[in-house]
Amino acid sequence: MKKGLFLFALMIISSSLWAQTIVKGKVVDAITNEELPDVEVSVEETTLSLKTNAKGEFIFDRFDLPLGEQVISFVKEGYISKRFPVIINENATLDLETISLKVDVNEENLQIGVISLSASELDEDESSASNLSGLLQASRDTYLNAAAFDFSATFFRPRGFDNENGKVLINGIEMNKQFDGRPQWSSWGGLNDVQRNQIFTMGLEANEYTFGGVAGTTNMIMRASQYRKGGRVSYAASNRSYQGRVMASYSSGLLNNGWSYTFLASRRFGEEGFKDGTLYDANSFFAAVEKQINPNHSLNLTAFFTPNRRGKATAITQEVKDLKGIEYNPLWGNQDGEIRNSRVKEIEEPVVMLNHFWDISDKSRLNTNVAFQTGKIANSRIDNGGTRIVESSDGQISYVGGSNNPTPEYYQNLPSYHLRFPNPEAKDYQAAYLAREAFVNDGQLNWNRLYEANAIARAKGGNSIYIIQNDRQDDTQFTANTIFTSDVNQNITLNASLNYRGLLSENYAEVKDLLGGTGYLDVDFFAEEPQNIETSGINDLAQSDVNNPNRIAREGDRYKYNYDIRANVATAFAQAQFKYKRVDGYIAGNVSNTTYQRDGKYKNGYFLDNSFGKSEKLDFTNFGAKAGATYKVSGRHLVSANTGYYTTAPSIRNSFSNARQNNNVVTGLESEKITSADLSYIYRTPKVKARLTGFYTGFQDGTDIGFYFTQDLSGFGIDEGDAFVQEVVTGIDRRNMGAEFGIEAQVTPTIKLKAAGSYGQYVYTNNPDLYLTSDDFNPAMPNVNEKGEVRFGDGKTNLKDYHVAGGPEKAFQVGFEYRDPDYWWIGVTANYFDDAYIDISSLNRSANFDLDYDGLPRNDYDPAKAKQLLAQENFGDYTLVNIVGGKSWKINQYFVGFFATINNVFDTEYKTGGFEQSRNSNFTNLAEDKGRENGPIFGNRYFFGYGTTYYLNLYLRF
């Protein structure tokens, strides 16, 4: 009897210990019945939340599930959210079986518009703002949507970060270029329909693929089985970057035999965009095929090729803008009745990826990827230094030829040049008037004059004076990585990855077009300048390649410079994620090794000893650590914090001071150190969602290299202080701090109000080191060291407390959306911007500014006047109003619709960026130039924003 009672009591105790309340189910697409991964499933009014797995399944198996009547919500971007009332009983299993979600056609319209408009911004050539973190991701964060959709037109950068501070992945493979650390968006442009499935990690938050960067991480999942079954055909028209776009795509979904496939083809085209003469010619092709070998193994092959050509525009001075307007672009001219741009960027970089997905068990997964990318990036420009060889009777060699700068907005072609002196005379006004009339009435590149000059030279037995040069970068890269994920238990998940990237980058100048000539003499005409002849023989000095002197280059030949860069990067990453009732958190670390080596193919005449052959091998070992946590005060109130410290190797671009001519490594080169922290308060209810975040990031030991012509270098003991220089700035420290917020309220079932904004301060926090190099320098000159470097005074540039250029530091938005149940919608936003600053000249803030040619202080130097001259320009405030809208119809299983937007409705004029010129780099000449009554000759150059623009997208989905 006692034994029986004991066993009965033991059974009661065991059941109380081990009986468990469970809620589970599966989420599918209402039309295709396909499983939906990454659906957020939450028990409302609690802190309990999780996401469905790859099979659309979810399970709550926790002891702390609330009992009684509850509401479970199902949320996924692009679908209509569903709230499901349930009754949860103690120690019981509630199987919701299959929950179906319907496609939100209105949300789909918005996504189409966001992606398409963002593509326009991404295609801006070499814009440091081209990668807005999370730009293409499907995010319900109000602030990020504002930054992507409305703020991007101003080159706004979230938290002031450059795009090299973030990571872009495709199928888990990093796509950032090793040359400058930035993603080359055009290498996968025009693939909008297959870029919808994305995972975005903001800042340094936990990411299962990679350690990431402070600007966030975006992983585009371009895997055949992950696309919803069906097709889409669309046509878009715009007056921004391109005039038209056609696109067609189809996905099979997962077939019964385990195969799935997706393909896409698109074309974007336009004779010019908003800026005059900016042609657009782009084709895009995509294919992915996947085989589910068995329930545990899948193999996916993805390939895409997006060849594109785009005509460039350039920054212009205020004088040029006043004469020609914000649409003016001096880089093009008419040739035989057609627009021809002298600076065209061509990209042809096909990518092939092979991905293996292995479900080792219910709790562990391994994803292994390999990728191969090759092709070219070519940037064309006019080379106008063509010459011919002349040998005197005594055997002396000289080079005869050369030409004037053909650019129509060259400073000598503008009215200000003729009125540059005090008290202009009548003849000066007449010359200025004629220059103005010629520029206003034409002001474009004269292609006929270039051909005529070459024809005259050819008739005399000479070479081309003008040619079109391509600056080529031919990259071949192999990438391999493996990503491991394991759910240790219901609370802990481990992530780890190993990654390797190997790059061979061929860099050279190519003769693209001889413009009617027969050849181009590959020598440096400027080698005949007096200071060069005094120190070296002209025969060797002028040669681009002493091993092949006086080469006559033909179309398609390499000339001027030719070198390879080999780079290897190996990275290891590990992370632990924790999920508990009140606290979610993570801790992660990584370590990497980066090596670079230059291999010169030409023996340059200026650098006979250090241009041909291999440079020293650069080696950087870097590491990082980060951690973060979210505390769930309640189901509605959350507090989140993230912090991290990591180092990153300098890019290839910033490692060699003049890679086109020699093997010199930047003096004082170090890895950059980045410290970051942010703190957020998050509020969420079924009707209101809000986030307020404060952030801080410190950068140390950054490096930057610039290339320009200056005419005011001091300390050489000669009056000719002009040279084309490489400006090397090292040890740069910066601080980015501020706050951002986003709030939206669904005030009625059809009306949503929203507001978002960012208030930041992005400044330099020290006076970094500055030195110049140039082929015009040699150790025989005063103040030139044995490395050919020139420093001024204490070798510093006084940048402390100046603002880092890169879009407005203040951006605010208010707006509303109306979404009708009959599938049409409209939205209006007003966007206010302020505190965007010009990119300052570092040389002007060095000791060169106040030193005379003899290296002594200038007699006329006035500190008060200097402070005024060196004040950083603030572009001022402005407001842009945007309108968006769309309509969709469902006809049986087909969706037909359109999306339209008008940006900058009131045609507001504003500056998106600009830079100070360093041509006048001393106090005397800068004061004279800025003080001219009729305007400066070498004024600041600006990028102006678009006026009123439109975008229209028509589509059929089936």
Side-chain angles (χ1 to χ4, degrees), residues 226-400:
Q226 298 299 301
Y227 295 116
R228 185 170 59 236
K229 181 180 180 180
R232 182 197 304 273
V233 178
S234 63
Y235 176 81
S238 176
N239 67 338
R240 296 178 65 83
S241 294
Y242 51 76
Q243 295 171 328
R245 188 201 71 193
V246 291
M247 181 179 297
S249 62
Y250 181 79
S251 297
S252 68
L254 185 61
L255 303 175
N256 293 332
N257 58 6
W259 286 93
S260 54
Y261 61 85
T262 296
F263 66 82
L264 176 147
S266 74
R267 173 162 174 74
R268 293 164 291 164
F269 54 89
E271 189 174 77
E272 59 184 356
F274 184 86
K275 299 289 185 180
D276 294 338
T278 52
L279 70 95
Y280 206 111
D281 181 13
N283 299 295
S284 301
F285 307 96
F286 171 90
V289 59
E290 183 171 350
K291 171 62 175 175
Q292 185 173 323
I293 301 171
N294 57 45
N296 296 325
H297 291 272
S298 289
L299 200 60
N300 177 82
L301 179 68
T302 294
F304 51 88
F305 181 40
T306 62
N308 59 87
R309 298 170 58 246
R310 293 176 290 118
K312 295 184 182 181
T314 189
I316 57 177
T317 63
Q318 187 68 39
E319 178 184 14
V320 171
K321 176 263 171 186
D322 291 341
L323 293 173
K324 299 289 287 187
I326 62 174
E327 299 176 11
Y328 173 69
N329 175 18
L331 302 180
W332 69 276
N334 279 303
Q335 183 181 352
D336 297 330
E338 296 185 359
I339 292 175
R340 182 178 182 183
N341 195 309
S342 62
R343 295 194 181 182
V344 175
K345 184 169 187 176
E346 297 180 76
I347 299 178
E348 296 179 2
E349 291 193 314
V351 177
V352 179
M353 298 178 175
L354 184 63
N355 318 104
H356 176 245
F357 302 90
W358 179 18
D359 291 339
I360 301 172
S361 66
D362 290 340
K363 296 184 179 296
S364 298
R365 300 168 295 282
L366 185 68
N367 171 209
T368 302
N369 312 290
V370 293
F372 179 77
Q373 179 175 1
T374 188
K376 72 172 185 178
I377 299 175
N379 289 278
S380 70
R381 60 188 175 93
I382 295 175
D383 190 346
N384 60 314
T387 59
R388 59 187 176 90
I389 300 173
V390 174
E391 184 174 356
S392 65
S393 58
D394 59 358
Q396 293 295 317
I397 294 292
S398 63
Y399 303 102
V400 177

Side-chain angles (χ1 to χ4, degrees), residues 167 174 176-179 181 210 477-481 498-504 565-572 590-597 617-622 647-652:
K167 299 294 184 184
E174 183 175 341
N176 294 55
K177 282 284 188 182
Q178 295 191 56
F179 173 72
T210 182
Q477 178 169 279
F478 173 78
T479 304
N481 68 13
L498 297 174
N499 183 83
Y500 168 78
R501 291 194 292 166
L503 170 71
L504 170 62
I565 294 286
R566 291 188 179 274
N568 294 278
V569 181
T571 305
N590 82 323
V591 62
S592 65
N593 180 258
T594 302
T595 62
Y596 304 138
Q597 188 168 41
K617 193 172 185 179
L618 304 184
D619 193 310
F620 304 92
T621 297
N622 296 284
T647 65
T648 180
S651 65
I652 295 172

Side-chain angles (χ1 to χ4, degrees), residues 675-856:
T675 304
S676 185
D678 63 64
L679 178 65
S680 298
Y681 165 70
I682 302 166
Y683 178 75
R684 59 187 187 187
T685 70
K687 292 186 178 295
V688 179
K689 295 180 177 63
R691 176 174 65 86
L692 174 64
T693 299
F695 59 86
Y696 167 88
T697 302
F699 300 84
Q700 290 182 296
D701 293 325
T703 302
D704 185 62
I705 301 178
F707 303 82
Y708 55 82
F709 178 81
T710 183
Q711 59 187 31
D712 289 332
L713 300 180
S714 65
F716 287 97
I718 55 176
D719 288 339
E720 292 86 0
D722 60 311
F724 183 81
V725 300
Q726 296 80 49
E727 177 189 88
V728 182
V729 184
T730 61
I732 303 171
D733 294 352
R734 298 175 287 133
R735 181 185 67 234
N736 291 27
M737 62 185 299
E740 62 194 23
F741 74 91
I743 182 170
E744 63 178 45
Q746 194 75 46
V747 295
T748 73
T750 58
I751 296 176
K752 178 190 294 184
L753 301 181
K754 58 183 180 179
S758 176
Y759 187 105
Q761 184 189 67
Y762 318 131
V763 297
Y764 297 101
T765 57
N766 75 329
N767 295 323
D769 297 320
L770 177 146
Y771 71 88
L772 304 181
T773 67
S774 173
D775 55 22
D776 288 320
F777 301 162
N778 65 76
M781 293 180 175
N783 295 323
V784 180
N785 66 20
E786 66 280 359
K787 295 181 180 180
E789 301 169 353
V790 172
R791 285 177 166 81
F792 305 99
D794 61 359
K796 301 287 186 179
T797 175
N798 298 307
L799 301 185
K800 187 176 181 180
D801 296 330
Y802 279 99
H803 293 260
V804 180
E809 294 181 352
K810 298 176 184 175
F812 301 98
Q813 176 190 93
V814 292
F816 78 90
E817 294 177 13
Y818 173 80
R819 298 197 175 202
D820 194 272
D822 196 26
Y823 293 117
W824 67 269
W825 64 280
I826 188 171
V828 179
T829 61
N831 306 275
Y832 173 84
F833 305 95
D834 197 6
D835 289 349
Y837 294 88
I838 200 161
D839 194 2
I840 59 175
S841 165
S842 299
L843 180 61
N844 287 7
R845 289 157 180 84
S846 71
N848 180 72
F849 187 69
D850 60 336
L851 296 181
D852 211 335
Y853 289 113
D854 56 8
L856 299 176

